Amino acid sequence: MIQVCTAPKTVLVVYAHQSAGSFNAAVKNAAVDELKKQGCNVLVSDLYEMKFKATATEEDITGEVKNPEHFCYGNETMLAWQEGRLAADILDEHKKLKEADLVIFQFPMYWFSVPAIMKGWMDRVLTLGFAYTLEKRYSEGIFRDKKAMLSFTTGSHETMFSPNGINGDMNVTLWPIQNGVLNYCGFQVLAPQIFWAPTHLSPEAREGLLEGWRTRLQGLLSETPLVFPPVDIFDEGKGFQLKPEVREKQADSPFGLTVGHHLEKPLPPHSMMKAGV
């Protein structure tokens, strides 16, 4: 059953691939088409097409910086944001983010992470003050009413990203981005859509992957997000360490709390790849 956006939802697709003939482009196009069928307003930031600037520099600020002798990008851009002095391309992306109910990051995995141009988008667009503050992060984050997800292709087969595989556990690979960027800004993080090694597949198999994606898109906006620990289980007065009662409660579990808060136990299986585990 196709989900219809009763109150129209806005979806932002942040897309990073150089070729319109790529499988990533096909995945992006499938998302745009399917979400529009549901009545969603779909925005696309095609980073290579936009020639999006990836480097975080003084050029992101119009006018004089406050401390030219020791330029601190986070503090300077927060002040520029407050004063309306950020570069136009950043402000354009801010506008899209404000409108978005869901953000989909579509990319080929580069070196176990996102391409540099997409990392530059995160560095420049997720501005201190606009996207997070020290008081508003994680479960209390600024974007806690929005959802976000990663959708990406790999060069390696799924078996190679397993706990016994040569690349290591994909759950560990995903933790820095899904927790350290998306969850940090407060997003409700949906399970990733991973297209394993599509270049090694037949055209028919690749079409099968796209069909599976189209099916998922029909219910994507109502999916349950991944689970991350709330801020209030950490003791601010003791360096944001897990509270003793939380550690005691977790003592009988065979697994750690999360991939990052493993408590020197085996990692909870699939916790960065499947909701409700």
Side-chain angles (χ1 to χ4, degrees):
M1 182 175 181
I2 296 177
Q3 176 178 310
V4 177
C5 297
T6 49
K9 300 289 187 180
T10 296
V11 180
L12 170 60
V13 180
V14 182
Y15 167 67
H17 199 287
Q18 305 91 331
S19 174
S22 67
F23 185 75
N24 267 270
V27 174
K28 179 260 295 178
N29 292 338
V32 171
D33 293 345
E34 185 60 45
L35 291 166
K36 283 185 175 180
K37 286 180 184 177
Q38 297 174 29
C40 297
N41 177 36
V42 183
L43 309 172
V44 178
S45 288
D46 185 338
L47 301 184
Y48 286 106
E49 179 68 23
M50 295 160 60
K51 295 181 170 54
F52 189 81
K53 175 177 172 287
T55 53
T57 67
E58 291 184 30
E59 295 173 1
D60 294 344
I61 299 167
T62 59
E64 298 294 325
V65 299
K66 299 302 178 182
N67 188 353
E69 294 182 3
H70 179 54
F71 178 70
C72 178
Y73 187 83
N75 292 338
E76 293 278 6
T77 51
M78 178 179 68
L79 186 59
W81 168 69
Q82 292 169 339
E83 297 176 352
R85 296 188 297 107
L86 279 177
D89 62 339
I90 296 176
L91 294 176
D92 288 344
E93 298 306 299
H94 280 188
K95 183 176 183 295
K96 296 173 191 176
L97 259 181
K98 286 179 183 177
E99 296 176 12
D101 299 289
L102 166 66
V103 183
I104 300 174
F105 292 91
Q106 181 63 53
F107 60 96
M109 177 172 276
Y110 280 13
W111 294 111
F112 290 35
S113 187
V114 299
I117 198 167
M118 183 171 282
K119 180 55 165 61
W121 188 97
M122 294 174 177
D123 290 345
R124 297 179 66 230
V125 175
L126 300 178
T127 310
L128 176 60
F130 170 77
Y132 70 97
T133 67
L134 293 181
E135 296 76 30
K136 295 179 179 179
R137 53 183 173 167
Y138 293 119
S139 58
E140 298 175 2
I142 290 171
F143 295 148
R144 60 188 176 276
D145 293 327
K146 301 178 184 291
K147 294 181 178 180
M149 67 172 294
L150 305 179
S151 174
F152 61 94
T153 58
T154 67
S156 299
H157 295 285
E158 183 175 6
T159 54
M160 298 168 71
F161 277 107
S162 66
N164 294 316
I166 191 170
N167 292 341
D169 191 339
M170 178 59 86
N171 290 280
V172 176
T173 300
L174 291 171
W175 176 259
I177 304 174
Q178 292 191 159
N179 178 71
V181 179
L182 303 183
N183 180 48
Y184 191 92
C185 292
F187 285 110
Q188 300 171 50
V189 185
L190 300 183
Q193 181 73 21
I194 306 175
F195 299 93
W196 302 101
T199 56
H200 298 284
L201 300 178
S202 67
E204 294 77 17
R206 289 196 294 271
E207 182 53 41
L209 294 180
L210 289 174
E211 192 55 40
W213 175 225
R214 293 186 189 101
T215 300
R216 183 183 178 190
L217 285 161
Q218 293 175 11
L220 187 66
L221 289 161
S222 60
E223 282 189 5
T224 300
L226 302 174
V227 176
F228 294 88
V231 169
D232 62 9
I233 70 170
F234 298 90
D235 191 334
E236 181 178 359
K238 295 185 178 179
F240 289 98
Q241 294 288 295
L242 278 171
K243 292 178 178 178
E245 57 268 30
V246 177
R247 293 181 63 90
E248 290 171 10
K249 184 178 179 180
Q250 197 68 22
D252 293 333
S253 172
F255 302 109
L257 188 62
T258 69
V259 170
H261 316 96
H262 49 73
L263 306 177
E264 300 182 6
K265 293 184 177 185
L267 303 184
H270 312 301
S271 64
M272 287 293 97
M273 298 172 67
K274 297 179 181 179
V277 296

